């Protein structure tokens, strides 16, 4: 289990900007990693109401369950590693194998037995160190939708915001605030 503070800045991209960034940073096709997030909530969307998000991420042969909860400068992330069998059992609603997340859900008043998987989002991701943080360039696909975004994950909120805004200006990318992936996914299934 890990618990860490996540501070990130996001901006939506159009397809041309996405392609240009890949070219600018000389990204090779084999460097792009694919991951799938499977999202969970209750029927009444109790986690969403608390500004929380729960997912199982499958990346290569690695499986992890992450609960995001609000923090003053970003989100807290609690992550439990899973085996393939544990992840499959959770995806099928057979059993729940994330002990630290289970404890956090109890504190939130959300029962793990009430959780349901409501959808999946696949992201093709490139990430690398940039200035004082991690630059992430994503192409996401979900349902009939796809989108592109750039994220900048940092330790220092003030310095990171300044560096991210400078990056957008240097790359001639207009400021287009981005909702979290789960929020974009939810909008796509509601329309």
């Amino acid at each position: 289990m890990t618990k860490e503070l996540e501070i990130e800045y996001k901006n939506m991209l159009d397809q041309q900007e996405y392609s240009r960034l890949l070219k600018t940073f000389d990204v090779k096709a084999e460097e792009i990693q694919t991951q799938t997030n499977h999202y969970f909530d209750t029927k009444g969307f109790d986690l969403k109401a608390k500004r929380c998000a729960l997912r199982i991420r499958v990346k290569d042969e690695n499986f992890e369950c992450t609960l995001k909860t609000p923090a003053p400068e970003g989100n807290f992330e609690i992550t439990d590693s899973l085996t393939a069998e544990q992840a499959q059992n959770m995806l099928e609603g057979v059993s729940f194998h994330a002990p630290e997340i289970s404890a956090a859900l109890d504190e939130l008043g959300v029962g793990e037995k009430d959780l349901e998987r409501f959808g999946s989002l696949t992201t093709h991701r490139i990430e690398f160190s940039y200035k004082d943080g991690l630059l992430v360039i994503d192409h996401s696909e979900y349902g009939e939708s796809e989108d592109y975004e750039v994220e900048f994950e940092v330790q220092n909120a003030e310095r990171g915001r300044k560096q991210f805004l400078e990056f957008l200006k240097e790359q001639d990318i207009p400021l287009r605030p981005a909702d979290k992936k789960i929020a974009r996914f939810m909008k796509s299934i509601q329309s």
Side-chain angles (χ1 to χ4, degrees), residues 109-147:
V110 175
E112 60 191 49
K113 294 198 182 307
D114 297 326
L115 295 171
E116 296 181 3
R117 181 173 76 164
F118 61 87
S120 304
L121 179 147
T122 297
T123 299
H124 310 286
R125 169 170 283 187
I126 184 74
E127 57 185 32
F128 51 89
S129 295
Y130 178 82
K131 296 201 177 180
D132 295 328
L134 182 71
L135 194 67
V136 179
I137 305 169
D138 284 344
H139 170 208
S140 296
E141 301 171 301
Y142 44 102
E144 301 290 318
S145 302
E146 68 179 318
D147 62 36

Side-chain angles (χ1 to χ4, degrees), residues 4-15:
E4 58 187 44
L5 177 63
E6 176 192 55
I7 302 171
E8 66 182 7
Y9 297 96
K10 298 170 160 278
N11 198 74
M12 297 306 295
L13 302 171
D14 63 27
Q15 188 173 10

Side-chain angles (χ1 to χ4, degrees), residues 35-36 52 54 61 111 130 132 149 155 158 166 170 180:
Q35 62 189 34
T36 301
C52 298
L54 180 65
E61 294 300 312
Y130 178 82
D132 295 328
E149 74 178 313
Q155 298 295 316
E158 187 177 323
E166 288 170 359
E170 289 166 8
K180 294 183 182 315

Side-chain angles (χ1 to χ4, degrees), residues 34-173:
T34 298
Q35 62 189 34
T36 301
N37 290 343
H38 302 279
Y39 295 111
F40 293 79
D41 206 331
T42 64
K43 279 187 181 172
F45 293 101
D46 296 328
L47 289 173
K48 179 182 177 190
K50 297 173 187 293
R51 297 181 21 233
C52 298
L54 180 65
R55 71 169 184 235
I56 289 179
R57 175 172 285 168
V58 179
K59 183 176 177 180
D60 299 323
E61 294 300 312
N62 296 309
F63 305 85
E64 63 183 23
C65 185
T66 300
L67 175 67
K68 292 187 178 193
T69 59
E73 289 185 333
N75 293 298
F76 286 116
E77 285 189 347
I78 300 170
T79 301
D80 283 314
S81 294
L82 304 172
T83 65
E85 182 180 351
Q86 290 170 331
Q88 191 61 40
N89 286 339
M90 290 172 72
L91 290 169
E92 293 172 0
V94 174
S95 52
F96 197 86
H97 299 278
E100 297 297 327
I101 290 173
S102 185
L105 289 171
D106 283 345
E107 287 180 27
L108 292 168
V110 175
E112 60 191 49
K113 294 198 182 307
D114 297 326
L115 295 171
E116 296 181 3
R117 181 173 76 164
F118 61 87
S120 304
L121 179 147
T122 297
T123 299
H124 310 286
R125 169 170 283 187
I126 184 74
E127 57 185 32
F128 51 89
S129 295
Y130 178 82
K131 296 201 177 180
D132 295 328
L134 182 71
L135 194 67
V136 179
I137 305 169
D138 284 344
H139 170 208
S140 296
E141 301 171 301
Y142 44 102
E144 301 290 318
S145 302
E146 68 179 318
D147 62 36
Y148 306 88
E149 74 178 313
V150 60
E151 300 177 3
F152 189 47
E153 298 178 9
V154 296
Q155 298 295 316
N156 181 294
E158 187 177 323
R159 186 171 51 233
R161 177 171 167 67
K162 183 179 176 195
Q163 289 176 341
F164 187 60
L165 292 174
E166 288 170 359
F167 168 82
L168 293 176
K169 187 174 180 179
E170 289 166 8
Q171 298 299 322
D172 196 28
I173 297 172

